[in-house]
């Protein structure tokens, strides 16, 4: 598990334009940022672009990272997440533009779709928030930050089997709570 002191040291080296700090940060945190971006975009190339843009941002503006408000991994994952979402938005806008050029009416989500999606997202966030901390932390690391169960184990300082168990039990509990809130799993 990386320490706060490592993040402070890396930030100071990055501010001093030390390329070895960027290499170290990339080696440590690119896999997590990539996993998150890939989950969001569903496209390996776009995920790579999102990660690259996150690290370019780190290199150009290392002073924007504050190790006192969070870890470098979290900050880079947040940047990669933003870039991935921007890429998806750009793709959607291009698709809409091309559809209009082709003379077809674009398929726009309805207000009802937006409202239902927002309500479901809120319900999931609330159910995750209300989970016991040992499940909530594991689920947040795996699903919001894109870490594998091995990475979750390392981050939490627990054995891999315990990480798997917490994820499995936490997801089961989350499914029960979502079902109790009136959300049922879509049949595939």
């Amino acid at each position: 598990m990386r320490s706060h002191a490592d993040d402070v040291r890396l930030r100071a080296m990055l501010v001093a334009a030390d390329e070895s700090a960027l290499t170290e940060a990339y080696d440590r945190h690119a896999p997590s940022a990539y996993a998150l971006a890939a989950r969001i975009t569903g496209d390996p190339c776009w995920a790579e672009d999102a990660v690259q843009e996150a690290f370019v941002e780190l290199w150009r503006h290392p002073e924007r990272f504050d190790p006192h408000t969070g870890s470098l991994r979290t900050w880079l994952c947040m940047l990669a997440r933003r870039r991935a979402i921007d890429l998806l938005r750009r793709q959607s806008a291009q698709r809409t533009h091309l559809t209009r050029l082709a003379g077809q009416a674009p398929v726009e989500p309805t207000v009802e779709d937006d409202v239902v999606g927002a309500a479901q997202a809120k319900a999931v966030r609330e159910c995750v928030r209300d989970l016991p901390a040992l499940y909530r932390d594991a689920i947040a690391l795996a699903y919001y930050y894109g870490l594998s169960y091995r990475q979750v184990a390392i981050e939490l300082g627990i054995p891999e089997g315990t990480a798997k168990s917490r994820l499995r039990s936490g997801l089961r509990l989350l499914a029960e709570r979502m079902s109790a809130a009136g959300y049922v799993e879509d049949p595939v």
Side-chain angles (χ1 to χ4, degrees):
M1 190 169 183
R2 304 291 180 203
S3 71
H4 172 75
D6 285 336
D7 286 349
V8 171
R9 178 185 57 81
L10 276 176
R11 182 186 186 277
M13 291 171 67
L14 287 161
V15 169
D18 185 336
E19 290 181 18
S20 67
L22 184 63
T23 301
E24 184 179 341
Y26 187 87
D27 289 345
R28 284 186 186 179
H29 305 302
S32 297
Y34 176 83
L36 179 61
R39 183 176 302 232
I40 291 169
T41 64
D43 183 289
C45 293
W46 287 3
E48 289 172 5
D49 288 348
V51 172
Q52 180 180 355
E53 289 179 26
F55 279 89
V56 167
E57 174 76 11
L58 174 64
W59 180 247
R60 288 185 179 158
H61 303 286
E63 71 283 353
R64 291 183 181 166
F65 165 62
D66 182 358
H68 302 292
T69 60
S71 71
L72 182 57
R73 179 200 321 253
T74 301
W75 191 75
L76 287 166
C77 283
M78 178 207 49
L79 289 177
R81 178 183 175 277
R82 286 180 183 168
R83 299 308 187 272
I85 291 169
D86 288 346
L87 287 168
L88 287 177
R89 286 180 181 151
R90 240 180 277 145
Q91 180 212 25
S92 177
Q94 288 172 348
R95 191 172 40 242
T96 300
H97 178 70
L98 291 175
T99 302
R100 285 186 179 139
L101 285 177
Q104 299 172 351
V107 178
E108 300 286 335
T110 65
V111 172
E112 181 180 89
D113 292 337
D114 290 342
V115 170
V116 169
Q120 288 174 338
K122 181 180 179 191
V124 170
R125 284 191 306 271
E126 288 173 354
C127 287
V128 169
R129 185 192 65 225
D130 293 340
L131 288 173
L134 64 127
Y135 300 133
R136 181 182 60 240
D137 295 345
I139 288 173
L141 290 170
Y143 292 93
Y144 294 129
Y145 295 105
L147 302 186
S148 69
Y149 73 87
R150 287 185 180 103
Q151 292 169 320
V152 169
I154 292 167
E155 191 69 26
L156 295 176
I158 58 177
E160 288 180 19
T162 303
K164 280 185 182 179
S165 176
R166 286 184 187 178
L167 286 166
R168 192 171 33 255
S169 298
L171 289 173
R172 189 175 306 120
L173 185 57
L174 180 60
E176 290 170 6
R177 290 182 179 194
M178 290 298 295
S179 180
Y183 295 94
V184 292
E185 187 176 322
D186 291 332
V188 177

